[in-house]
Amino acid sequence: MTDQTTRHRERWATVLDQLRELLRSAGKAGVVVDGADAPRRALFTDQLVGAGFVVTDGPQCRVGAPPRDLVVWLRAGGSPHGHEAGADVVIDLRDPAWPVIRRVRDGLAAEDSWYVTESRAFFAIRAVTWDTQFGDDLPAYARGVSAANLPRGGVVLDAGCGTGRALGALRDAVGEEGVVLALDVTPEMLAVAAGRAREARASLLLSDARRLPIADASVDGVFAAGLVNHMPDPVAGLAELARVTRPGGRLALFHPSGRAALAARHRRVLREDDLFAQAPLRAATGRAGWRLDTYDDHDERFLALATRVPAGSP
């Protein structure tokens, strides 16, 4: 048995154990499997049955499923995300050998029981090839950092730094006298980022961005690329970024593709009520202690800039 086969079996075992715990905590007796295509759905169902689960395979996501059923939606290439709303659990099955839990219905389980484990599982296997796949984004990162207008000589945090694509630009922004911190929850991503961190003289931190190991009001700016949308509670995540930022400090929410381009890439419908549409994002940042200043959403990038407001400000 190869090391890769062993890792894949361990990944399946972890997901099945987490589903078993969700069944137990929710008082469910069986699982409804939906989403993906028939072969991937059959693969997942076979794994569940082999592990002793009681499974129903349905052609549509059953929003009103009986109380005995835990509804699992399988996300794969081309799966319409809108149908996920009726599911208790969403599992990414784009790689059939590497299932990853991407969402658990609010109240079904504590985030700490699955979020970090699954985030690391999703990104760890992709870390080595990430820059090969997305290396052309480096100029877009540099332009995004430049537009953020981060303070010269300040302390900046790259939250969810991944392979460190923004680190060189962040060092240029704050200058020789500034401080660059880079944080990610996935060790494999930080291992790839290490070379860029050395060149940018940035400090790497292994941590969950929902619980930053940083003192209150100690950074002047936060650059967050593709981070907040991965958090189970985005408003809480934005509030944690606000906690470590001084009043008047800057937040840059960035992605090298705009919302429409990204939705097309993932074959999903662009919705005006999702978090990063302008009105919902303004409301979310406001609740978390930020004032949304500028909103730029075009095919070549998404960039929203916000300012940390003092506590108690209207």
Side-chain angles (χ1 to χ4, degrees), residues 130-143:
W130 195 266
D131 286 341
T132 301
Q133 186 174 1
F134 301 112
D136 292 344
D137 292 339
L138 282 172
Y141 271 75
R143 290 191 294 269

Side-chain angles (χ1 to χ4, degrees), residues 210-240:
R210 301 172 306 157
R211 296 179 180 83
L212 296 168
I214 299 172
D216 294 358
S218 59
V219 306
D220 299 289
V222 178
F223 185 82
L227 167 71
V228 177
N229 55 304
H230 285 288
M231 293 179 162
D233 186 341
V235 175
L238 288 165
E240 177 65 357

Side-chain angles (χ1 to χ4, degrees), residues 130-131 134-148 158 160-170 196 223-227 254-257 300-301 303:
W130 195 266
D131 286 341
F134 301 112
D136 292 344
D137 292 339
L138 282 172
Y141 271 75
R143 290 191 294 269
V145 170
S146 178
D158 187 351
C161 67
T163 59
R165 288 179 290 173
L167 296 183
L170 289 170
R196 287 178 176 142
F223 185 82
L227 167 71
F254 172 80
H255 197 281
S257 299
E300 65 273 14
R301 80 170 180 197
L303 180 64

Side-chain angles (χ1 to χ4, degrees), residues 275-299:
L275 174 67
F276 283 90
Q278 187 169 5
L281 185 61
R282 186 177 301 280
T285 51
R287 292 198 302 274
W290 302 96
R291 182 189 68 241
L292 185 63
D293 297 320
T294 64
Y295 181 89
D296 181 15
D297 180 20
H298 300 289
D299 284 349

